[in-house]
Amino acid sequence: MTDALLAGELPLPQRPDYLRHGSTIRSWLATTDHKRIAILYAVTITIFFFMGGAAITAVRLELFQPNGWLLTSDTYNKLFSFHGIIMVWFFLVPSIPNTFGNFLLPLMIGAPDVAFPRLNLFSWYLTIAAGAFTVYALVAGGVDTGWTFYTPYSSMFSNTHVFAAAAGVFVVGFASIATGVNFIATTHMLRAPGMTWFRLPLFVWAIYATSLIMVLATPVLAISLLLVIAERVFGLPIFDPARGGDPILFQHLFWFYSHPAVYIMVLPAMGVVSEIIPCFARRRIFGYDFMVYAMLAIAGIGFFVWGHHMFVSGQSPLASLVFSFLSFIIAVPSAIKVFNWTASLYRGQISFDSPMLYALGFVGLFTTGGLSGLFLASIPVDIHVTDTYFVVAHFHYIMVGGSVSAFFAGLHFWWPKVTGRLYPESWAKFAAILMYAGFNMTFLPQFFAGYLGMPRRYHTYPAEFQIYNVMSSAGAAVLALAYLLPLGYLTWSLFYGGKAARNPWGATGLEWTTSSPPPPKNFDRQPRVDRAPYDYHAEGMSAGTDPPEMQNARETR
């Protein structure tokens, strides 16, 4: 035995992290490790994201000229339908919950895995099967109903592949339900000792509230699509008014799910931003309890506002008034969150690292989208702008500007934890700024075009709207570049990036107490929690003081 061994100076053998715990394809495709399943989801949704992006690129090129020059009207309809179906159901809905939720939820609550690991893997396989149905619909000739599948067009008149596309959305809905059940059970059953409900990180609360919506609302979507298939394939008189059916019934069922689905996309984004802002402001989150109650309120009230999508569908004036009132009410908890994020920045020593730039971009875009939503909650204004580009701009600010900005914020924040590697910060900052500029160039002109009367879903339009469409298409080119840049420098970092420390940002939270990347079971020993989250004032640290690890990481990067 050497002197070094006697002195205990030799390092202990290192356990493989989750990335090196088996390197065969089978070890990945049969894994039950929540972190690897998160990576599988990340690869899957990235492929879907660029497929949907390619479709909308052709649409924006078509709109460069007023009279249509690239696509036939039939192809145009199929491309924007494919873009909507892929982006909503296969990217926006699963993006943050199924990637960051899967990776981080057990780590944040001190658990070794989710409650049902095999169900977790099965959900991913369901997503793959659903995606195959939808891609088949495109390859076989496409679908032209839009992402909403409105009847009676989808059930009686469309000659495109509605069945395959609807079946894809139907199946991915079950994946969403299974994931929601898993996250709820994990949060209830597997919290570490001392991790009380009001010590949970806000991201966990966001995933929990999102899971409730997934479990309660998604079955309604499944039923509505099943009824479309039943009428289309078996001829059952469900939505055909000539045979006693009701086409408005589909809209009620569809929007009962699809408006809460907006919060499936936005609530996890709020959770991501709530983790990043206190870290880079070196401040506790302002009004933690109110942030929790606001998220639960958004999840609850979200079930009662679907009727504002139907002000022109023939519902009664009283129903429209009630839905209008409730739509204004849901702005209150959303405003609370924006106010609390802003208050959290007050007197903080803010560092504008790339995750913070993306997070601030989220706050700006989400606020713009939310304020424009107030116009749509107002019945007279909504009637004026229904089915115009004003609506397109509004929901892109919320669902894309908000959710995608937060997704990139989270991607850059937790990238060192997920991969164990650092990325080139200057490129990341440039991409964040470019994305914010490109997004506003793309969608801000659409508010004006829509208010002036340009209808959505048209591939020809009066020449007076060309200036707005040229600006949007030019902005979309900038936005596309901003989306491609992270793909380049993050891939580079996997091979050449510096090794990340355990906690490069000096953040609080259990996920930063384990190694980067984490071991297969997350922690070497069961963690215990004895303090509130976001305790950036602990251990004598004053607000605005960077911990040594963060200073060292900045010097390294």
Side-chain angles (χ1 to χ4, degrees):
M1 186 175 292
T2 66
D3 292 343
L5 268 176
L6 286 171
E9 293 175 355
L10 288 183
L12 294 172
Q14 289 188 338
R15 292 189 217 172
D17 57 65
Y18 82 98
L19 291 173
R20 296 173 182 78
H21 190 66
S23 56
T24 64
I25 293 177
R26 185 178 183 282
S27 71
W28 279 88
L29 297 183
T31 184
T32 55
D33 187 329
H34 66 99
K35 300 180 291 298
R36 285 195 163 202
I37 293 172
I39 300 298
L40 293 176
Y41 270 117
V43 173
T44 304
I45 67 165
T46 300
I47 294 171
F48 287 138
F49 178 78
F50 283 104
M51 290 174 68
I56 202 60
T57 298
V59 168
R60 287 303 335 165
L61 287 173
E62 172 72 358
L63 293 172
F64 214 80
Q65 295 285 344
N67 298 317
W69 63 280
L70 181 65
L71 308 171
T72 65
S73 58
D74 183 56
T75 304
Y76 178 86
N77 290 343
K78 290 175 179 175
L79 283 175
F80 81 68
S81 297
F82 181 75
H83 165 74
I85 292 169
I86 284 288
M87 284 304 201
V88 171
W89 310 113
F90 293 91
F91 176 73
L92 290 171
V93 167
S95 60
I96 296 179
N98 291 25
T99 55
F100 298 132
N102 250 316
F103 195 95
L104 294 168
L105 178 60
L107 284 166
M108 284 183 160
I109 64 172
D113 208 321
V114 294
F116 308 114
R118 293 181 188 278
L119 180 64
N120 199 15
L121 179 63
F122 182 63
S123 301
W124 178 72
Y125 276 107
L126 280 179
T127 303
I128 294 296
F133 273 115
T134 306
V135 172
Y136 166 77
L138 173 70
V139 174
V143 60
D144 63 354
T145 61
W147 70 277
T148 55
F149 297 100
Y150 267 14
T151 59
Y153 184 67
S154 62
S155 59
M156 296 173 57
F157 300 110
S158 174
N159 294 319
T160 57
H161 294 271
V162 177
F163 178 87
V169 178
F170 180 81
V171 173
V172 82
F174 280 96
S176 184
I177 294 170
T179 299
V181 168
N182 218 339
F183 287 168
I184 291 171
T186 302
T187 308
H188 276 268
M189 298 166 55
L190 300 182
R191 301 195 309 276
M195 180 62 85
T196 61
W197 281 96
F198 280 84
R199 284 180 177 171
L200 286 175
L202 288 171
F203 179 77
V204 175
W205 272 112
I207 291 295
Y208 183 78
T210 303
S211 300
L212 292 175
I213 300 175
M214 287 178 174
V215 172
L216 296 175
T218 309
V220 180
L221 171 72
I223 291 170
S224 60
L225 292 175
L226 200 61
L227 292 176
V228 169
I229 293 172
E231 182 165 274
R232 184 176 180 85
V233 177
F234 303 109
L236 299 181
I238 301 168
F239 303 114
D240 181 5
R243 296 186 293 164
D246 183 1
I248 303 300
L249 173 63
F250 176 83
Q251 294 187 38
H252 280 291
L253 293 173
F254 180 83
W255 288 114
F256 181 80
Y257 164 80
S258 293
H259 195 86
V262 172
Y263 303 112
I264 292 177
M265 306 167 208
V266 172
L267 278 171
M270 292 176 168
V272 169
V273 171
S274 298
E275 297 298 318
I276 292 173
I277 284 181
C279 175
F280 290 93
R282 316 311 301 172
R283 298 273 295 167
R284 290 191 181 98
I285 195 79
F286 181 83
Y288 171 91
D289 290 2
F290 283 100
M291 295 287 268
V292 172
Y293 293 133
M295 278 192 279
L296 294 177
I298 290 170
I301 301 172
F303 282 96
F304 301 101
V305 299
W306 80 89
H308 75 232
H309 293 271
M310 302 170 61
F311 287 156
V312 297
S313 296
Q315 67 185 359
S316 72
L318 177 61
S320 292
L321 281 174
V322 171
F323 283 121
S324 174
F325 174 75
L326 291 171
S327 300
F328 279 112
I329 290 295
I330 202 169
V332 175
S334 299
I336 288 173
K337 299 197 72 66
V338 174
F339 173 79
N340 284 18
W341 290 321
T342 308
S344 301
L345 295 171
Y346 178 64
R347 299 187 67 182
Q349 187 165 342
I350 303 169
S351 56
F352 293 97
D353 293 271
S354 53
M356 186 63 159
L357 290 180
Y358 280 110
L360 294 176
F362 165 88
V363 175
L365 299 177
F366 175 77
T367 303
T368 305
L371 291 173
S372 63
L374 295 177
F375 289 92
L376 297 174
S378 171
I379 297 173
V381 180
D382 182 88
I383 290 173
H384 173 68
V385 298
T386 288
D387 275 340
T388 69
Y389 266 83
F390 189 96
V391 179
V392 175
H394 161 69
F395 74 69
H396 276 86
Y397 264 88
I398 294 287
M399 293 161 59
V400 181
S403 296
V404 176
S405 294
F407 179 82
F408 278 98
L411 183 63
H412 287 78
F413 186 52
W414 285 296
W415 181 264
K417 178 58 62 183
V418 173
T419 65
R421 296 285 180 175
L422 300 171
Y423 50 80
E425 179 67 9
S426 56
W427 277 105
K429 288 181 177 178
F430 176 66
I433 295 169
L434 194 67
M435 194 175 295
Y436 188 79
F439 186 89
N440 282 296
M441 285 175 63
T442 304
F443 294 103
L444 197 59
Q446 295 181 10
F447 279 123
F448 299 101
Y451 182 78
L452 293 173
M454 178 167 170
R456 59 193 287 200
R457 303 193 182 100
Y458 281 39
H459 89 296
T460 59
Y461 55 86
E464 65 193 80
F465 295 121
Q466 185 177 15
I467 182 64
Y468 303 107
N469 281 293
V470 169
M471 291 169 67
S472 280
S473 296
V478 175
L479 193 56
L481 177 61
Y483 286 151
L484 284 170
L485 279 175
L487 187 66
Y489 64 72
L490 291 178
T491 303
W492 177 90
S493 83
L494 290 175
F495 299 98
Y496 306 108
K499 290 190 176 180
R502 175 178 55 88
N503 187 3
W505 308 117
T508 62
L510 287 179
E511 78 270 27
W512 301 105
T513 64
T514 190
S515 56
S516 301
K521 293 297 180 183
N522 295 344
F523 302 96
D524 292 330
R525 64 184 64 178
Q526 172 76 70
R528 299 185 65 85
V529 181
D530 58 4
R531 64 178 62 172
Y534 314 110
D535 195 5
Y536 286 100
H537 302 260
E539 299 174 0
M541 184 190 303
S542 61
T545 303
D546 287 345
E549 274 190 311
M550 190 171 185
Q551 295 171 7
N552 293 337
R554 281 189 177 139
E555 291 169 4
T556 303
R557 286 181 286 120

